[in-house]
Amino acid sequence: MPRLIRANYAVDMPRPVFGAHTYLDSVTDSSNADFDNMKWSNVTVDNYNAFDSTNCYYVVPVSGIYQIINNVNLRSSAANWTGIYIAHNTTIVAQSWQRNAANFDYNATACRATVQCNVGDLLKCQWHNDYEEPLTSGTYNQASIQLIEFS
C-alpha cells in the first residue's frame, strides 16, 4: 500500500471506494449519445469525493486497478429490453442485456469490469437509452467502484 510521508511519519493512503444505490436520473454521455450515465440519489460512500454528480461519472483519483459493478434489479416497466454498461473513458468495457418475456419489471441485470486506470480517467455506469430505464425508487439498483490494487 502506498504511503504518504508527512513531516517525520508515514501514513497509509486509503483506497478509493464509491458506493451508491437508488437510481435517480441520468445524463446523456457526451462521448456516445446512445448511453446515459446513471445518477444516484443515495451515495453511501465516496471517500475521495470523486463522483461528478453533474456529469454522472467517477473521476479516478488514484492510479491503479479498479473493479466496477453496475446492477439494475428493477426497471420502469415490464417486458422490454434492459441494457446496462460500464465505460472506461470512451470505451465500453462491460455490458449486460436482458429481456423479460414473463412481463415482469423485476429483472436482475448486472455487469462487472476490472480496468487499469490513470488519475483523471472516467468510469461510468450507464444504461442504453433506446431501452427501458431503471426504476427511480427503492434500493433495487446499485453501483460500486473500488480500487483493488495501487499502481
Side-chain angles (χ1 to χ4, degrees), residues 97-120:
W97 290 76
Q98 208 167 115
R99 181 175 186 273
N100 189 343
N103 198 28
F104 195 59
D105 53 358
Y106 289 93
N107 193 15
T109 308
C111 57
R112 177 172 56 188
T114 304
V115 294
Q116 176 72 47
C117 297
N118 295 311
V119 172

Side-chain angles (χ1 to χ4, degrees), residues 52-100:
D52 179 331
S53 61
T54 301
N55 296 299
C56 305
Y57 50 62
Y58 186 82
V59 181
V60 171
V62 176
S63 293
I65 299 171
Y66 283 77
Q67 184 174 55
I68 309 100
I69 300 169
N70 187 12
N71 186 41
V72 172
N73 288 313
L74 187 59
R75 55 198 176 167
S76 57
S77 103
N80 291 314
W81 284 96
T82 298
I84 63 171
Y85 299 81
I86 294 171
H88 175 214
N89 295 320
T90 60
T91 303
I92 299 296
V93 294
Q95 60 183 292
S96 183
W97 290 76
Q98 208 167 115
R99 181 175 186 273
N100 189 343

Side-chain angles (χ1 to χ4, degrees), residues 134-150:
L135 190 71
T136 58
S137 64
T139 59
Y140 306 102
N141 306 315
Q142 308 94 24
S144 173
I145 299 171
Q146 52 190 313
L147 176 72
I148 58 175
E149 185 177 312
F150 290 98

